[in-house]
Amino acid sequence: YYLPLKYSRDGLLEFGSIRTLFEKLKPSKVYLEKSKGRGGWSATAVHSTGDSYGQIRFAIARAMQAPHVLVDPKAWQRPIHEGIKKSLTAKERSLVAYNNLFPLGAIPPGPKGGKPGDGIIDALLIAVYGMQKSKQGLQPWRCVLWGL
């Protein structure tokens, strides 16, 4: 499922669609990448990203009462990118991993008209990492992807 996040006029996350999806799927665990500011970002960008991230964590942990695991980017990339040339960028390695895992799958469109796969592929690969860690096997119909 791809669930674009919606915000109210006052900048707060709309929980309705998330709650409906969680009630339907009843996830046993949610894997969420740790959010970090990047070098060169403005203070406003760092704050905005951190604010959205905090609202998502609150929605998952408190409002939806779903257990969640915070995953460092390197922790999920290490096993998912295994065997892929290290000379490629992380995004390029993720694209190769996606094509290896889903050879017949079209590259999903990016949110808000962005580059194809922008953010969506990483979210899917984090879900694959989570399923491997929980030993549930690959069940893509149980994946929930959020677009920030």
Side-chain angles (χ1 to χ4, degrees), residues 92-112:
E92 291 169 334
R93 294 176 82 197
S94 288
L95 182 57
V96 171
Y98 173 83
N99 287 326
N100 288 342
L101 286 166
F102 305 100
L104 300 177
I107 297 173
K112 301 177 186 173

Side-chain angles (χ1 to χ4, degrees), residues 32-36 38 53 69-73 76 126:
L32 183 64
E33 185 175 49
K34 287 182 183 176
S35 177
K36 298 178 180 178
R38 307 258 195 280
Y53 183 75
V69 176
L70 298 178
V71 183
D72 188 79
W76 73 262
I126 292 166

